[in-house]
mmCIF file of all heavy atoms in Angstrom:
data_model
loop_
_atom_site.group_PDB
_atom_site.id
_atom_site.type_symbol
_atom_site.label_atom_id
_atom_site.label_comp_id
_atom_site.label_asym_id
_atom_site.label_seq_id
_atom_site.Cartn_x
_atom_site.Cartn_y
_atom_site.Cartn_z
ATOM 1 N N GLN A 167 15.806 3.858 -12.133
ATOM 2 C CA GLN A 167 16.548 3.630 -13.347
ATOM 3 C C GLN A 167 17.516 4.774 -13.652
ATOM 4 O O GLN A 167 18.341 4.675 -14.526
ATOM 5 C CB GLN A 167 15.581 3.458 -14.516
ATOM 6 C CG GLN A 167 14.619 2.293 -14.308
ATOM 7 C CD GLN A 167 13.520 2.279 -15.348
ATOM 8 O OE1 GLN A 167 13.494 3.131 -16.225
ATOM 9 N NE2 GLN A 167 12.618 1.342 -15.258
ATOM 10 N N PRO A 181 16.783 17.502 -18.300
ATOM 11 C CA PRO A 181 15.341 17.484 -18.592
ATOM 12 C C PRO A 181 14.527 16.894 -17.472
ATOM 13 O O PRO A 181 13.390 17.249 -17.279
ATOM 14 C CB PRO A 181 15.253 16.605 -19.857
ATOM 15 C CG PRO A 181 16.623 16.651 -20.449
ATOM 16 C CD PRO A 181 17.568 16.784 -19.299
ATOM 17 N N GLN A 183 14.802 17.406 -14.423
ATOM 18 C CA GLN A 183 14.614 18.313 -13.301
ATOM 19 C C GLN A 183 13.222 18.915 -13.265
ATOM 20 O O GLN A 183 12.807 19.488 -12.290
ATOM 21 C CB GLN A 183 15.661 19.447 -13.356
ATOM 22 C CG GLN A 183 17.099 18.959 -13.209
ATOM 23 C CD GLN A 183 17.268 18.202 -11.932
ATOM 24 O OE1 GLN A 183 16.822 18.640 -10.875
ATOM 25 N NE2 GLN A 183 17.892 17.033 -11.999
ATOM 26 N N GLU A 195 3.320 25.471 -1.555
ATOM 27 C CA GLU A 195 1.926 25.787 -1.311
ATOM 28 C C GLU A 195 1.396 25.163 -0.027
ATOM 29 O O GLU A 195 0.320 25.500 0.429
ATOM 30 C CB GLU A 195 1.072 25.284 -2.489
ATOM 31 C CG GLU A 195 1.367 26.006 -3.777
ATOM 32 C CD GLU A 195 0.588 25.425 -4.944
ATOM 33 O OE1 GLU A 195 -0.077 24.410 -4.752
ATOM 34 O OE2 GLU A 195 0.649 26.004 -6.041
ATOM 35 N N GLN A 204 -2.201 21.518 12.102
ATOM 36 C CA GLN A 204 -2.713 21.463 13.468
ATOM 37 C C GLN A 204 -3.397 20.145 13.751
ATOM 38 O O GLN A 204 -3.286 19.589 14.831
ATOM 39 C CB GLN A 204 -3.698 22.617 13.696
ATOM 40 C CG GLN A 204 -3.007 23.980 13.704
ATOM 41 C CD GLN A 204 -3.995 25.119 13.660
ATOM 42 O OE1 GLN A 204 -5.197 24.889 13.498
ATOM 43 N NE2 GLN A 204 -3.510 26.330 13.812
ATOM 44 N N ASP A 221 12.423 14.130 20.023
ATOM 45 C CA ASP A 221 11.482 13.395 19.175
ATOM 46 C C ASP A 221 12.157 12.904 17.904
ATOM 47 O O ASP A 221 11.978 11.783 17.470
ATOM 48 C CB ASP A 221 10.287 14.281 18.781
ATOM 49 C CG ASP A 221 9.367 14.528 19.956
ATOM 50 O OD1 ASP A 221 9.475 13.779 20.936
ATOM 51 O OD2 ASP A 221 8.557 15.460 19.877
ATOM 52 N N MET A 236 1.250 3.428 16.908
ATOM 53 C CA MET A 236 0.187 3.377 15.903
ATOM 54 C C MET A 236 -0.633 2.091 16.031
ATOM 55 O O MET A 236 -1.845 2.092 15.873
ATOM 56 C CB MET A 236 0.790 3.494 14.502
ATOM 57 C CG MET A 236 1.424 4.842 14.234
ATOM 58 S SD MET A 236 2.139 4.956 12.584
ATOM 59 C CE MET A 236 0.667 4.993 11.569
ATOM 60 N N LYS A 246 -14.820 -1.466 20.298
ATOM 61 C CA LYS A 246 -16.225 -1.900 20.229
ATOM 62 C C LYS A 246 -16.345 -3.274 19.577
ATOM 63 O O LYS A 246 -17.129 -4.122 20.030
ATOM 64 C CB LYS A 246 -17.057 -0.866 19.482
ATOM 65 C CG LYS A 246 -17.266 0.425 20.253
ATOM 66 C CD LYS A 246 -18.234 1.348 19.533
ATOM 67 C CE LYS A 246 -18.474 2.616 20.358
ATOM 68 N NZ LYS A 246 -19.422 3.546 19.687
ATOM 69 N N ASP A 271 -21.998 -23.948 20.238
ATOM 70 C CA ASP A 271 -23.258 -23.248 19.948
ATOM 71 C C ASP A 271 -23.198 -21.794 20.414
ATOM 72 O O ASP A 271 -23.617 -20.874 19.696
ATOM 73 C CB ASP A 271 -24.440 -23.964 20.614
ATOM 74 C CG ASP A 271 -24.745 -25.304 19.972
ATOM 75 O OD1 ASP A 271 -24.301 -25.518 18.827
ATOM 76 O OD2 ASP A 271 -25.423 -26.138 20.622
ATOM 77 N N LEU A 282 -19.700 -11.478 11.377
ATOM 78 C CA LEU A 282 -18.801 -12.227 10.516
ATOM 79 C C LEU A 282 -19.544 -12.881 9.351
ATOM 80 O O LEU A 282 -18.923 -13.299 8.369
ATOM 81 C CB LEU A 282 -18.058 -13.310 11.313
ATOM 82 C CG LEU A 282 -16.713 -12.875 11.899
ATOM 83 C CD1 LEU A 282 -16.911 -11.965 13.092
ATOM 84 C CD2 LEU A 282 -15.872 -14.083 12.286
ATOM 85 N N THR A 286 -19.394 -17.451 6.697
ATOM 86 C CA THR A 286 -18.044 -17.370 7.263
ATOM 87 C C THR A 286 -17.985 -18.072 8.608
ATOM 88 O O THR A 286 -17.038 -18.824 8.899
ATOM 89 C CB THR A 286 -17.624 -15.895 7.419
ATOM 90 O OG1 THR A 286 -17.661 -15.248 6.147
ATOM 91 C CG2 THR A 286 -16.218 -15.789 7.991
ATOM 92 N N ALA A 294 -13.089 -25.859 13.031
ATOM 93 C CA ALA A 294 -12.864 -26.196 14.442
ATOM 94 C C ALA A 294 -13.245 -27.651 14.718
ATOM 95 O O ALA A 294 -12.517 -28.369 15.426
ATOM 96 C CB ALA A 294 -13.674 -25.269 15.336
ATOM 97 N N LYS A 311 -6.918 -19.674 19.379
ATOM 98 C CA LYS A 311 -5.775 -19.481 18.489
ATOM 99 C C LYS A 311 -6.095 -19.952 17.078
ATOM 100 O O LYS A 311 -5.713 -19.311 16.093
ATOM 101 C CB LYS A 311 -4.553 -20.225 19.028
ATOM 102 C CG LYS A 311 -3.982 -19.623 20.301
ATOM 103 C CD LYS A 311 -2.801 -20.439 20.806
ATOM 104 C CE LYS A 311 -2.258 -19.873 22.115
ATOM 105 N NZ LYS A 311 -1.137 -20.691 22.658
ATOM 106 N N LYS A 314 -8.318 -17.386 15.394
ATOM 107 C CA LYS A 314 -7.530 -16.214 15.013
ATOM 108 C C LYS A 314 -6.777 -16.465 13.708
ATOM 109 O O LYS A 314 -6.786 -15.622 12.802
ATOM 110 C CB LYS A 314 -6.540 -15.866 16.137
ATOM 111 C CG LYS A 314 -5.616 -14.703 15.808
ATOM 112 C CD LYS A 314 -4.652 -14.423 16.959
ATOM 113 C CE LYS A 314 -3.670 -13.319 16.597
ATOM 114 N NZ LYS A 314 -2.728 -13.028 17.698
ATOM 115 N N ASP A 334 2.745 2.443 -15.483
ATOM 116 C CA ASP A 334 4.185 2.676 -15.587
ATOM 117 C C ASP A 334 4.489 4.143 -15.869
ATOM 118 O O ASP A 334 5.535 4.659 -15.487
ATOM 119 C CB ASP A 334 4.785 1.792 -16.687
ATOM 120 C CG ASP A 334 4.765 0.320 -16.310
ATOM 121 O OD1 ASP A 334 4.885 0.029 -15.100
ATOM 122 O OD2 ASP A 334 4.606 -0.526 -17.204
ATOM 123 N N VAL A 371 -11.630 15.544 -9.098
ATOM 124 C CA VAL A 371 -12.681 15.714 -10.104
ATOM 125 C C VAL A 371 -14.041 15.541 -9.438
ATOM 126 O O VAL A 371 -14.360 14.468 -8.915
ATOM 127 C CB VAL A 371 -12.519 14.686 -11.248
ATOM 128 C CG1 VAL A 371 -13.544 14.955 -12.336
ATOM 129 C CG2 VAL A 371 -11.102 14.716 -11.800
ATOM 130 N N ASN A 391 -5.924 20.871 0.983
ATOM 131 C CA ASN A 391 -4.734 20.185 0.476
ATOM 132 C C ASN A 391 -3.988 20.981 -0.587
ATOM 133 O O ASN A 391 -2.976 20.512 -1.111
ATOM 134 C CB ASN A 391 -5.127 18.814 -0.095
ATOM 135 C CG ASN A 391 -5.564 17.829 0.970
ATOM 136 O OD1 ASN A 391 -4.787 17.466 1.844
ATOM 137 N ND2 ASN A 391 -6.813 17.387 0.904
ATOM 138 N N PRO A 404 -21.926 14.383 -15.599
ATOM 139 C CA PRO A 404 -20.708 13.941 -14.906
ATOM 140 C C PRO A 404 -19.606 13.491 -15.860
ATOM 141 O O PRO A 404 -18.423 13.752 -15.618
ATOM 142 C CB PRO A 404 -21.195 12.778 -14.040
ATOM 143 C CG PRO A 404 -22.656 13.015 -13.862
ATOM 144 C CD PRO A 404 -23.115 13.642 -15.134
ATOM 145 N N ASP A 410 -13.233 16.601 -19.415
ATOM 146 C CA ASP A 410 -12.406 17.809 -19.308
ATOM 147 C C ASP A 410 -11.252 17.590 -18.336
ATOM 148 O O ASP A 410 -10.125 18.050 -18.575
ATOM 149 C CB ASP A 410 -13.255 18.994 -18.832
ATOM 150 C CG ASP A 410 -14.269 19.442 -19.881
ATOM 151 O OD1 ASP A 410 -14.109 19.061 -21.057
ATOM 152 O OD2 ASP A 410 -15.227 20.164 -19.514
ATOM 153 N N LYS A 445 -16.614 5.493 -16.424
ATOM 154 C CA LYS A 445 -15.466 4.598 -16.577
ATOM 155 C C LYS A 445 -15.043 4.478 -18.038
ATOM 156 O O LYS A 445 -13.844 4.471 -18.351
ATOM 157 C CB LYS A 445 -15.819 3.212 -16.014
ATOM 158 C CG LYS A 445 -14.623 2.276 -15.917
ATOM 159 C CD LYS A 445 -15.003 0.934 -15.318
ATOM 160 C CE LYS A 445 -13.789 0.022 -15.254
ATOM 161 N NZ LYS A 445 -14.118 -1.332 -14.756
ATOM 162 N N VAL A 459 -10.488 1.259 -9.100
ATOM 163 C CA VAL A 459 -11.885 1.602 -8.828
ATOM 164 C C VAL A 459 -12.117 1.256 -7.365
ATOM 165 O O VAL A 459 -12.207 0.085 -7.000
ATOM 166 C CB VAL A 459 -12.860 0.832 -9.744
ATOM 167 C CG1 VAL A 459 -14.296 1.230 -9.420
ATOM 168 C CG2 VAL A 459 -12.552 1.109 -11.213
ATOM 169 N N GLY A 468 -22.787 -3.045 8.507
ATOM 170 C CA GLY A 468 -22.718 -4.501 8.631
ATOM 171 C C GLY A 468 -22.922 -5.229 7.317
ATOM 172 O O GLY A 468 -22.302 -4.902 6.302
ATOM 173 N N GLN A 474 -23.931 -3.909 -1.055
ATOM 174 C CA GLN A 474 -23.458 -2.754 -1.820
ATOM 175 C C GLN A 474 -22.246 -3.125 -2.663
ATOM 176 O O GLN A 474 -22.148 -2.758 -3.843
ATOM 177 C CB GLN A 474 -23.091 -1.615 -0.863
ATOM 178 C CG GLN A 474 -24.261 -0.975 -0.156
ATOM 179 C CD GLN A 474 -23.818 0.074 0.843
ATOM 180 O OE1 GLN A 474 -22.733 0.641 0.714
ATOM 181 N NE2 GLN A 474 -24.636 0.339 1.844
ATOM 182 N N GLY A 494 -16.448 3.251 15.301
ATOM 183 C CA GLY A 494 -17.763 3.522 15.875
ATOM 184 C C GLY A 494 -18.729 2.367 15.795
ATOM 185 O O GLY A 494 -19.937 2.536 15.965
ATOM 186 N N ASN A 503 -15.742 -10.984 6.775
ATOM 187 C CA ASN A 503 -16.738 -11.497 5.836
ATOM 188 C C ASN A 503 -16.537 -10.927 4.434
ATOM 189 O O ASN A 503 -16.679 -11.636 3.431
ATOM 190 C CB ASN A 503 -18.144 -11.157 6.348
ATOM 191 C CG ASN A 503 -19.211 -12.036 5.716
ATOM 192 O OD1 ASN A 503 -18.926 -13.117 5.219
ATOM 193 N ND2 ASN A 503 -20.439 -11.558 5.724
ATOM 194 N N PHE A 514 -7.795 0.728 2.613
ATOM 195 C CA PHE A 514 -7.728 1.599 3.788
ATOM 196 C C PHE A 514 -8.844 1.244 4.765
ATOM 197 O O PHE A 514 -9.884 0.726 4.368
ATOM 198 C CB PHE A 514 -7.886 3.080 3.410
ATOM 199 C CG PHE A 514 -6.883 3.585 2.414
ATOM 200 C CD1 PHE A 514 -7.211 3.687 1.070
ATOM 201 C CD2 PHE A 514 -5.607 3.959 2.818
ATOM 202 C CE1 PHE A 514 -6.290 4.150 0.145
ATOM 203 C CE2 PHE A 514 -4.682 4.428 1.903
ATOM 204 C CZ PHE A 514 -5.026 4.527 0.564
ATOM 205 N N ILE A 515 -8.598 1.580 6.038
ATOM 206 C CA ILE A 515 -9.666 1.528 7.039
ATOM 207 C C ILE A 515 -9.688 2.868 7.766
ATOM 208 O O ILE A 515 -8.634 3.454 8.049
ATOM 209 C CB ILE A 515 -9.484 0.370 8.048
ATOM 210 C CG1 ILE A 515 -8.090 0.402 8.702
ATOM 211 C CG2 ILE A 515 -9.739 -0.972 7.377
ATOM 212 C CD1 ILE A 515 -7.913 -0.612 9.812
ATOM 213 N N SER A 542 -3.425 -5.991 28.266
ATOM 214 C CA SER A 542 -2.277 -5.242 27.751
ATOM 215 C C SER A 542 -2.684 -3.994 27.003
ATOM 216 O O SER A 542 -1.867 -3.365 26.376
ATOM 217 C CB SER A 542 -1.467 -6.138 26.815
ATOM 218 O OG SER A 542 -2.269 -6.593 25.732
#
Side-chain angles (χ1 to χ4, degrees):
Q167 301 170 1
Q183 296 303 314
E195 294 176 354
Q204 291 169 353
D221 288 343
M236 294 180 71
K246 289 187 178 180
D271 290 341
L282 269 74
T286 301
K311 291 178 182 178
K314 177 181 176 180
D334 291 328
V371 185
N391 291 297
D410 291 343
K445 189 178 179 184
V459 180
Q474 291 176 24
N503 200 21
F514 303 99
I515 53 173
S542 59

